[in-house]
Amino acid sequence: MRKIIWSLCILLLFNSCNLFSSKNKEQVSEGDLLENQLMKENSEKIKRIFFILPSPIEISLLIKKTGVHFREDLLNKTENLAGYSTSPSRAIALGVYCADLSYASLNEQYQISMEYINVSRNLAESLGVLRTVEQDKVRLLENNVTNKELIVDIISEIYMESNEQLREQDRYSLATLMLIGGWVESMYIATQSVNPRDKSHHELIKQILDQKLSLESIKAVLRDNQSNPVIKPIYLDILQLEKLFEISIKNTDKKEDEEFIDSVDGLVFVQLIAKVGDIREYLVH
Amino acid sequence: MKYYLLSTLFVFVVSIQVGTSQCRDFAKTNCKPKLENYVHDGNYNGVFLNQQEEVELHKAFFTGQEYRIVVGGEEHMPKIHFKITDSDQNLIFDNEESNYIDHFDFELDEAKTLVISLDFIKEEPTGLKLESGCVSILFGMKL
């Protein structure tokens, strides 16, 4: 019995030596890997990539420059404000009202702009966003309500402070919802303003279809928050919208004298307008 | 011990928060004025950048619009090198060729996604300068 125990002990000792030596080999190879990685990081800089969405100010400016007329009925009514009782609905509404505010102010609708500035600031405060606009700027605006540059500056401050403060509070999904709310509302205003049969609207059609380029950033922003139950259906809707963007331009060889508008598939474009309308409906109600 | 750990964590979180809001204030007070007669689009793109890092921003730009991109870093840091390429890697602008100017004005013939990449310049002696700090990139448009 004693012999058996001794032989087992010797076997275990050999085995542990083997284990140790193989572990040592692993440590060496792991060390080599780490060294290689460090060398690689020293030669190549660490790259941080960000995707930026066009802001409501930018899209509103593009719409304005196409020459279409302002339509108050397209704005999300301020009476809807009372219905936004949850943080996600308030974050979406903040983006939506920022877009409406940008559209109204760039079209010199000063009375509406003042009303929507107050609504946006109150919404931001209800989300825990503090000091969106410096008090001296508010005072300046009260004395000069027709100063378009000042109003646009105030909108950019509300948009920037709200988005950044939500991020700083680690409320990334709310910051995302705000950005998406702003983009969808701007697209809603653009698509509802367009008459595909009106030749003077061709530039607006082009601007709307160029927004296909923004989808890369929108998908990147939504993808990061896909587990959120409010964001998931929006992400799926955006994927459907992306398909409509892709097929709205006919896949045929372009003739020399052909204008951009000739390559647009009118039926698909109408579906695209409807899809934007559906997404907006989901967001504001 | 528990309270000591909690207070250390609290100080750490607060210092990060203060750091990020300081970067935002830096963007508003130092970079925004450089937009001059271009209006700020409302996007804030600020990062705390290290020497070993490179930042890349992807953004679509559209026709019929004059844009200005302003890139600013804190004074105590090395100069910032930024370049703009399109999605096919064609170079549109490199501030190295313009004495590391902090802005670029442009208008496009067709809508494009542009990639703005930036890092600190390599030639700068780092002995007296800090190797990290706030960097912000702002976009402006003509009304």
Side-chain angles (χ1 to χ4, degrees):
Chain A
M1 184 66 183
R2 192 175 275 180
K3 276 184 183 172
I4 296 169
I5 292 170
W6 270 112
S7 40
L8 271 171
C9 282
I10 291 165
L11 256 172
L12 270 172
L13 189 70
F14 270 110
N15 216 2
S16 65
C17 283
N18 271 340
L19 270 174
F20 182 75
S21 63
S22 67
K23 205 174 183 180
N24 211 15
K25 270 181 198 166
E26 267 175 32
Q27 277 175 346
V28 169
S29 60
E30 271 175 18
D32 283 346
L33 275 172
L34 191 65
E35 200 178 325
N36 285 340
Q37 199 181 332
L38 282 172
M39 278 168 69
K40 203 177 169 190
E41 279 176 6
N42 279 337
S43 58
E44 288 173 32
K45 287 191 169 188
I46 300 160
K47 195 182 277 185
R48 291 158 72 185
I49 301 174
F50 299 92
F51 292 89
I52 315 297
L53 266 76
S55 73
I57 299 173
E58 182 175 4
I59 303 179
S60 296
L61 200 51
L62 292 166
I63 300 171
K64 162 85 178 149
K65 286 185 175 179
T66 63
V68 289
H69 297 295
F70 175 77
R71 277 177 53 190
E72 192 178 344
D73 63 304
L74 296 180
L75 306 179
N76 185 33
K77 290 184 173 51
T78 52
E79 292 87 70
N80 292 344
L81 190 61
Y84 304 127
S85 54
T86 62
S87 295
S89 65
R90 284 180 183 161
I92 292 169
L94 181 55
V96 167
Y97 284 125
C98 277
D100 290 339
L101 177 52
S102 305
Y103 174 61
S105 64
L106 289 168
N107 283 284
E108 289 99 28
Q109 301 294 319
Y110 299 115
Q111 190 61 41
I112 297 171
S113 300
M114 291 302 287
E115 192 186 347
Y116 277 70
I117 282 178
N118 290 330
V119 165
S120 302
R121 288 180 69 202
N122 290 341
L123 257 178
E125 271 177 36
S126 75
L127 281 164
V129 175
L130 306 170
R131 198 177 57 90
T132 45
V133 187
E134 301 287 345
Q135 207 51 42
D136 53 347
K137 274 191 188 168
V138 177
R139 263 183 243 116
L140 202 62
L141 182 67
E142 282 165 356
N143 297 324
N144 195 357
V145 290
T146 57
N147 185 335
K148 189 157 78 174
E149 282 78 11
L150 181 61
I151 295 175
V152 175
D153 186 42
I154 285 174
I155 303 167
S156 89
E157 298 250 322
I158 296 172
Y159 189 76
M160 170 173 162
E161 285 290 338
S162 303
N163 192 254
E164 276 312 301
Q165 287 189 40
L166 287 174
R167 282 179 191 281
E168 282 163 21
Q169 295 165 15
D170 290 334
R171 297 157 88 193
Y172 294 101
S173 56
L174 295 185
T176 299
L177 286 170
M178 187 198 139
L179 294 181
I180 298 302
W183 185 78
V184 171
E185 181 72 353
S186 300
M187 283 298 285
Y188 173 76
I189 292 169
T191 51
Q192 291 300 310
S193 302
V194 77
N195 177 357
R197 286 180 294 276
D198 188 337
K199 218 174 174 188
S200 69
H201 285 196
H202 288 179
E203 181 55 28
L204 181 56
I205 295 172
K206 190 176 180 307
Q207 291 290 3
I208 290 168
L209 291 175
D210 278 347
Q211 284 297 319
K212 180 189 170 189
L213 293 172
S214 301
L215 291 175
E216 187 195 6
S217 296
I218 289 162
K219 283 193 298 173
V221 168
L222 288 173
R223 207 183 294 125
D224 293 343
N225 297 280
Q226 233 193 109
S227 56
N228 183 297
V230 183
I231 290 178
K232 197 169 184 180
I234 303 172
Y235 182 67
L236 297 174
D237 273 337
I238 292 293
L239 292 181
Q240 289 176 17
L241 188 65
E242 186 182 35
K243 280 195 183 122
L244 292 172
F245 266 108
E246 275 165 14
I247 56 172
S248 59
I249 303 290
K250 290 179 206 157
N251 199 12
T252 50
D253 289 333
K254 201 183 170 194
K255 291 165 199 153
E256 247 179 49
D257 57 340
E258 196 180 68
E259 285 184 46
F260 170 78
I261 199 69
D262 299 322
S263 63
V264 177
D265 187 323
L267 282 174
V268 179
F269 187 68
V270 170
Q271 287 174 38
L272 188 145
I273 292 173
K275 187 69 199 170
V276 172
D278 290 346
I279 302 174
R280 194 259 192 179
E281 184 67 17
Y282 171 76
L283 292 183
V284 301
H285 294 297
Chain B
M1 185 65 179
K2 196 173 151 189
Y3 291 112
Y4 174 75
L5 279 172
L6 276 172
S7 55
T8 310
L9 185 69
F10 177 75
V11 169
F12 176 70
V13 170
V14 167
S15 63
I16 290 176
Q17 299 262 335
V18 169
T20 43
S21 66
Q22 270 176 356
C23 279
R24 199 170 70 244
D25 286 343
F26 162 77
K28 279 163 80 171
T29 52
N30 293 59
C31 302
K32 207 172 160 184
K34 291 176 184 167
L35 287 172
E36 295 176 340
N37 56 341
Y38 291 77
V39 293
H40 178 219
D41 72 345
N43 273 317
Y44 164 69
N45 316 291
V47 283
F48 197 80
L49 190 68
N50 292 307
Q51 279 273 1
Q52 296 78 21
E53 290 175 321
E54 185 183 341
V55 170
E56 208 174 86
L57 272 84
H58 295 232
K59 188 191 178 300
F61 292 89
F62 305 95
T63 54
Q65 183 62 61
E66 290 171 77
Y67 291 99
R68 169 173 285 194
I69 294 175
V70 168
V71 177
E74 289 179 287
E75 264 180 35
H76 60 260
M77 297 188 314
K79 281 180 185 165
I80 299 166
H81 170 223
F82 78 97
K83 62 178 181 179
I84 302 169
T85 51
D86 64 17
S87 46
D88 296 324
Q89 308 260 307
N90 296 313
L91 183 69
I92 291 171
F93 177 73
D94 188 335
N95 79 335
E96 193 176 11
E97 292 154 15
S98 308
N99 198 25
Y100 298 105
I101 192 170
D102 58 8
H103 67 273
F104 176 58
D105 300 338
F106 64 99
E107 192 177 350
L108 297 174
D109 295 332
E110 59 171 324
K112 276 179 185 171
T113 294
L114 298 183
V115 180
I116 303 129
S117 46
L118 55 102
D119 58 3
F120 293 122
I121 61 166
K122 294 163 189 79
E123 296 84 3
E124 194 82 22
T126 53
L128 295 170
K129 304 228 174 191
L130 288 183
E131 294 193 342
S132 58
C134 296
V135 171
S136 69
I137 305 109
L138 297 184
F139 303 114
M141 298 161 306
K142 277 253 175 90
L143 276 186

